[in-house]
Amino acid sequence: GAVVSQHPSWVICKSGTSVKIECRSLDFQATTMFWYRQFPKQSLMLMATSNEGSKATYEQGVEKDKFLINHASLTLSTLTVTSAHPEDSSFYICSASPSWPRTDTQYFGPGTRLTVL
Amino acid sequence: GEDVEQSLFLSVREGDSSVINCTYTDSSSTYLYWYKQEPGAGLQLLTYIFSNMDMKQDQRLTVLLNKKDKHLSLRIADTQTGDSAIYFCAGGADGLTFGKGTHLIIQP
């Protein structure tokens, strides 16, 4: 149980294009989902907290106009990297916390590797 | 915000026990976690410990928590080559803060 999927698992795009990454909780409902970014040889950095039906809360230094987050349902959150540039190349990971029973436990997706040429 | 520190590398011989240590600053986490990341893969939740516990054992894994010193450790008994990975500790009440990860290297 508690499976989180991400799609796509990897994507290569040209500079200036937009890329959408989906995060789904497959067997539970998640009021809250989190988006992380992992730089090579570094720990995960929390980008934003995504709440179903409301605007995402972005961490300091994360451009909300560049990284658009939509949490349309209790099982789906999307991250859109707009006008991608090579410096946006990274490993993006989402996680989800079950709505019930509510705990701090988070379940992570497998990650999406974005390469911007 | 939370600050989580881990040593970057640990090398052990196959069959020995591995102990990965972690220190943190924010004591408001309800749970503290250990994650495993194998090469090319996403994070896997290995185990977690409730903040009012001192110890949790799960098969070959033992988690020790010293709240006074804000120190968390993960012991892997009888370390195998399949245990070779990066291990992250993490904490935080809402939105996890991860350490930089400890690369566990297994020597034959």
Side-chain angles (χ1 to χ4, degrees), chain B residues 85-96:
Chain B
I86 305 174
Y87 291 82
F88 293 87
C89 69
D94 195 3
L96 292 179

Side-chain angles (χ1 to χ4, degrees), chain A residues 4-7 9 91-94 108-113, chain B residues 40-43:
Chain A
V4 175
S5 70
Q6 282 185 239
H7 178 80
S9 53
F91 196 55
Y92 293 88
I93 300 174
C94 73
F108 281 75
T112 296
R113 184 162 298 284
Chain B
L43 293 183

Side-chain angles (χ1 to χ4, degrees), chain B residues 10-16 79-82 84 104-108:
Chain B
L10 176 66
S11 179
V12 298
R13 287 193 298 185
E14 191 174 357
D16 287 354
T79 309
Q80 304 297 311
T81 54
S84 180
L104 179 60
I105 300 162
I106 317 298
Q107 299 171 13

Side-chain angles (χ1 to χ4, degrees), chain A residues 34 36 38 42-44 46 91 93 103-110, chain B residues 30-31 33 35 37 41-43 48 88 93-96 98-100:
Chain A
F34 302 91
Y36 295 85
Q38 184 180 31
Q42 294 189 35
S43 65
L44 293 185
L46 177 64
F91 196 55
I93 300 174
T103 69
D104 290 345
T105 301
Q106 295 185 31
Y107 299 96
F108 281 75
Chain B
T30 307
Y31 296 92
Y33 306 86
Y35 289 88
Q37 184 182 29
L43 293 183
Y48 61 91
F88 293 87
D94 195 3
L96 292 179
F98 285 75
K100 286 186 166 48

